[in-house]
Amino acid sequence: MGRHHARVLASLEGVRLVGVVDPLGDREGWAQGVPVLRTLGELIALGIDYAVVACPTALHVDVGLELAGAGICALIEKPVADSVEGARALVAAFESRSLVAGVGHIERCNPALRSLRRRLEEGELGDVYQVVTRRQGPFPHRIADVGVVKDLATHDIDLTGWVTGQEYVSIAARTVSKSGRPHEDMVSAVGRLSAGATVNHLVNWLSPLKERFTSVTGEKGCFVADTLTADLTFYSNAAQATEWEALQAFRGVSEGDMVRYAIPKREPLLVEHELFRDAVLGGPADICTLRQGLRTVEVAAAVLESAAGGHTVELPAPAVVR
């Protein structure tokens, strides 16, 4: 992700990209013409206002704590940390210094999901009954330090809570490991949210089919978001009763109109950086906060706990970090 962050930051209005840290140097020529430094200390010495942390997940805590200690704001790639304890340490470090910090849960910036969230907030679906996500595709060789739960499922955990405005209260999961790696590469999870909605997540690195699917079913119909194409479609419940008795009995809910919305499709990473830049400048902080990122890590840990123990895990209320 570092090369994509550098590309966007190099042309972002109001921001000047001044350096990139990579101990191995710029082997692929992605540094956008700025100095490539070997240590984080060298970057801090340039007097930067904020940094983007796009390194292996296992290094997020050490890098983040060094930035916080230097009084520098940070946008940390997701997941915010590879453990609950690490995520809590980051929250405490940045909050205690009143520093702006966020997590790169980029699905929050996908046009389809932003439109879906707004429509749910405006009551277009009524009560939310169920959220279903499918996120599957071939194994990404760049990932080596975490499994599919922390790398991919955290996308769906975060977007589900963000879109619905609800918290996870329980989760049950099963995992599979077929690729010969030490981590899981497939997970199936069922959960419950704080307002009673059910959740289903299917995530894997074992499919040749790449899919990014989110559906939200509720009182007035169903929204379906394809985040690969940034399309949002609404399937409404029919206003007219179905008179064909056999069809009515089979479907349960009669079909209504189907609408695919025309929505502006800006690059999610650019939107993410615009929002974080504005937050650093003191504007509205429409970003994924570290505290929200911590909650996602807590739910991911519960998914793995459930899969290991074969039982449903009840999640406590979001932790207070001191």
Side-chain angles (χ1 to χ4, degrees):
M1 280 300 294
R3 60 182 170 129
H4 298 297
H5 285 294
R7 170 181 57 81
V8 172
L9 285 167
S11 59
L12 184 63
E13 183 179 354
V15 170
R16 184 164 62 94
L17 179 64
V18 296
V20 174
V21 176
D22 192 329
L24 299 179
D26 187 15
R27 295 172 298 170
E28 305 294 337
W30 291 331
Q32 303 296 319
V34 301
V36 179
L37 311 170
R38 298 187 65 84
T39 68
L40 181 55
E42 293 175 78
L43 184 65
I44 292 172
L46 295 178
I48 58 174
D49 298 299
Y50 74 90
V52 175
V53 180
C55 57
T57 306
L59 301 177
H60 284 187
V61 174
D62 288 344
V63 173
L65 291 179
E66 186 172 350
L67 288 168
I72 295 170
C73 302
L75 174 62
I76 303 173
E77 261 300 341
K78 65 87 211 159
V80 64
D82 62 353
S83 69
V84 173
E85 294 74 20
R88 287 175 178 163
L90 287 172
V91 171
F94 281 92
E95 287 191 354
S96 66
R97 295 168 173 84
S98 300
L99 295 169
V100 176
V103 186
H105 279 291
I106 197 168
E107 291 288 41
R108 293 188 178 208
C109 300
N110 188 284
L113 293 178
R114 291 181 73 82
S115 179
L116 170 56
R117 182 181 187 237
R118 177 179 58 79
R119 294 175 186 280
L120 293 181
E121 288 177 337
E122 293 175 355
E124 292 187 21
L125 192 62
D127 290 340
V128 173
Y129 300 154
Q130 183 184 54
V131 181
V132 175
T133 69
R134 297 195 301 270
R135 184 176 299 268
Q136 53 190 352
F139 173 69
H141 295 287
R142 62 182 176 81
I143 302 298
D145 57 339
V146 294
V148 75
V149 170
K150 291 182 179 178
D151 182 65
L152 280 190
T154 47
H155 278 301
D156 296 311
I157 292 168
D158 178 75
L159 76 84
T160 296
W162 176 72
V163 162
T164 63
Q166 299 184 39
E167 294 280 355
Y168 284 78
V169 296
S170 68
I171 198 82
R174 294 292 184 270
T175 57
V176 173
S177 184
K178 294 291 186 181
S179 64
R181 299 169 66 252
H183 304 289
E184 78 290 341
D185 38 42
M186 176 180 284
V187 63
S188 176
V190 178
R192 184 167 57 88
L193 300 180
S194 52
T198 61
V199 173
N200 298 80
H201 299 310
L202 289 176
V203 189
N204 79 69
W205 279 330
L206 300 177
S207 171
L209 167 67
K210 188 171 183 179
E211 185 179 32
R212 302 289 185 267
F213 170 94
T214 300
S215 72
V216 182
T217 302
E219 180 182 5
K220 300 177 182 179
C222 177
F223 282 107
V224 174
D226 182 334
T227 54
L228 284 177
T229 61
D231 288 324
L232 179 65
T233 305
F234 179 58
Y235 299 83
S236 70
N237 295 337
Q240 300 295 325
T242 301
E243 296 182 6
W244 185 359
E245 183 178 350
L247 187 61
Q248 184 183 47
F250 175 72
R251 297 200 175 187
V253 172
S254 55
E255 287 182 325
D257 295 328
M258 181 186 75
V259 179
R260 185 168 69 86
Y261 298 103
I263 53 180
K265 295 183 179 180
R266 304 181 67 226
E267 182 184 0
L269 190 60
L270 174 59
V271 174
E272 179 178 83
H273 277 293
E274 289 175 342
L275 293 172
F276 192 75
R277 172 202 62 196
D278 294 347
V280 171
L281 291 172
D286 188 16
I287 61 174
C288 178
T289 66
L290 291 192
R291 209 168 266 274
Q292 292 167 339
L294 163 62
R295 185 57 172 179
T296 295
V297 173
E298 289 176 335
V299 177
V303 168
L304 293 172
E305 178 186 344
S306 171
H311 60 271
T312 298
V313 174
E314 302 292 328
L315 284 142
V320 175
V321 179
R322 296 182 173 85

